[in-house]
């Protein structure tokens, strides 16, 4: 199944052992989803507004988590977002201790990641990243591709469980505070420790 236009699925979107292709630049709103383990998703450069729960680990380009119930659960594992991740205002994303949100570009948290000590936000890849919103996260892991790839903090960030910064260049906006949990590490000799 392929979408080349903006689509809102009002009922339950069911896909078993198939492939969903979201065309470049499309905006897809999914209110309820039923998939089988054989389901595959090719995001190209689309945005998916996910209003259901749990969020499947299928890989997204841009992901907007905006659950109708107010709370979404991340499926256990690594949620890969190749570009931008947004948690909508007033919404909650529940995680377990093994959950990772792997984001290649911007991370906007206008909701609550809960419990904050469990989730790991990993900023990865060669794209410059900006972290904004009312962000409190469990563990912040920065593993950019190059020492010159920037991670800009436009909002104050508190890490509850840890902080690891191995490669990239961090910048803080005016008045921004980066409050790190005890035991975090900055740099391992392979990247920028600035």
């Amino acid at each position: 199944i392929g979408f080349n236009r903006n689509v809102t699925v009002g009922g339950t979107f069911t896909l078993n052992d198939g492939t969903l292709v979201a065309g470049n630049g499309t905006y897809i709103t999914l209110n309820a989803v039923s998939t089988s383990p054989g389901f595959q998703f090719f995001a190209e450069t689309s945005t998916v507004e996910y209003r259901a729960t749990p969020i499947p680990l299928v890989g997204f380009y841009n992901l907007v988590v905006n659950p109708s119930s107010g709370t979404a659960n991340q499926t256990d594992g690594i949620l890969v977002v190749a570009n931008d991740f947004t948690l909508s205002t007033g919404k909650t994303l529940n995680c377990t201790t093994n959950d990772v949100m792997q984001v290649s570009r911007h991370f906007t948290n206008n909701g609550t990641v809960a419990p904050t000590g469990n989730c790991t936000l990993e900023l990865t890849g060669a794209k410059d990243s900006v972290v904004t919103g009312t962000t409190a996260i469990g563990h912040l892991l920065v593993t950019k591709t190059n020492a010159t790839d920037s991670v800009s903090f436009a909002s104050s960030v508190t890490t509850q469980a840890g902080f690891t910064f191995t490669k990239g260049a961090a910048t803080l906006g005016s008045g921004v505070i980066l409050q790190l949990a005890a035991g975090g590490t900055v740099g391992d000799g392979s990247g920028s420790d600035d």
Side-chain angles (χ1 to χ4, degrees), residues 76-87:
D76 291 346
I78 300 173
L79 176 64
V80 177
V81 180
N83 205 49
D84 298 344
F85 178 102
T86 301
L87 179 58

Side-chain angles (χ1 to χ4, degrees), residues 154-170:
S155 301
S156 295
V157 175
T158 300
T159 64
Q160 304 286 327
F163 174 77
T164 306
F165 197 108
T166 59
K167 191 178 277 189

Side-chain angles (χ1 to χ4, degrees), residues 51-118:
R51 295 183 177 179
T53 191
I55 301 170
L57 303 178
V58 295
F60 297 92
Y61 185 74
N62 293 317
L63 175 63
V64 177
V65 177
N66 189 18
S68 299
S69 67
T71 301
N73 298 315
Q74 179 176 327
T75 302
D76 291 346
I78 300 173
L79 176 64
V80 177
V81 180
N83 205 49
D84 298 344
F85 178 102
T86 301
L87 179 58
S88 296
T89 302
K91 306 299 180 173
T92 300
L93 176 62
N94 287 327
C95 301
T96 67
T97 55
N98 297 320
D99 288 345
V100 176
M101 296 172 288
Q102 189 177 74
V103 180
S104 293
R105 200 171 80 134
H106 303 323
F107 178 79
T108 302
N109 178 4
N110 290 319
T112 303
V113 178
T116 54
N118 284 351

Side-chain angles (χ1 to χ4, degrees), residues 5-186:
R5 293 198 168 106
N6 296 344
V7 174
T8 297
V9 179
T12 300
F13 180 78
T14 303
L15 186 61
N16 295 313
D17 296 321
T19 301
L20 171 63
V21 178
N24 290 328
T26 57
Y27 194 98
I28 300 170
T29 303
L30 299 174
N31 288 298
V33 178
S34 174
T35 62
S36 70
F39 168 73
Q40 294 182 10
F41 180 71
F42 295 103
E44 296 190 10
T45 61
S46 67
T47 297
V48 173
E49 180 178 345
Y50 208 83
R51 295 183 177 179
T53 191
I55 301 170
L57 303 178
V58 295
F60 297 92
Y61 185 74
N62 293 317
L63 175 63
V64 177
V65 177
N66 189 18
S68 299
S69 67
T71 301
N73 298 315
Q74 179 176 327
T75 302
D76 291 346
I78 300 173
L79 176 64
V80 177
V81 180
N83 205 49
D84 298 344
F85 178 102
T86 301
L87 179 58
S88 296
T89 302
K91 306 299 180 173
T92 300
L93 176 62
N94 287 327
C95 301
T96 67
T97 55
N98 297 320
D99 288 345
V100 176
M101 296 172 288
Q102 189 177 74
V103 180
S104 293
R105 200 171 80 134
H106 303 323
F107 178 79
T108 302
N109 178 4
N110 290 319
T112 303
V113 178
T116 54
N118 284 351
C119 293
T120 295
L121 169 61
E122 179 180 7
L123 298 171
T124 187
K127 297 176 183 176
D128 291 341
S129 296
V130 177
V131 177
T132 60
T134 55
T135 307
I137 55 174
H139 185 94
L140 177 61
L141 174 62
V142 179
T143 59
K144 301 305 275 183
T145 303
N146 305 295
T148 57
D149 299 332
S150 74
V151 177
S152 299
F153 295 91
S155 301
S156 295
V157 175
T158 300
T159 64
Q160 304 286 327
F163 174 77
T164 306
F165 197 108
T166 59
K167 191 178 277 189
T171 58
L172 301 177
S174 177
V176 170
I177 298 170
L178 186 57
Q179 184 174 342
L180 307 176
T185 60
V186 178

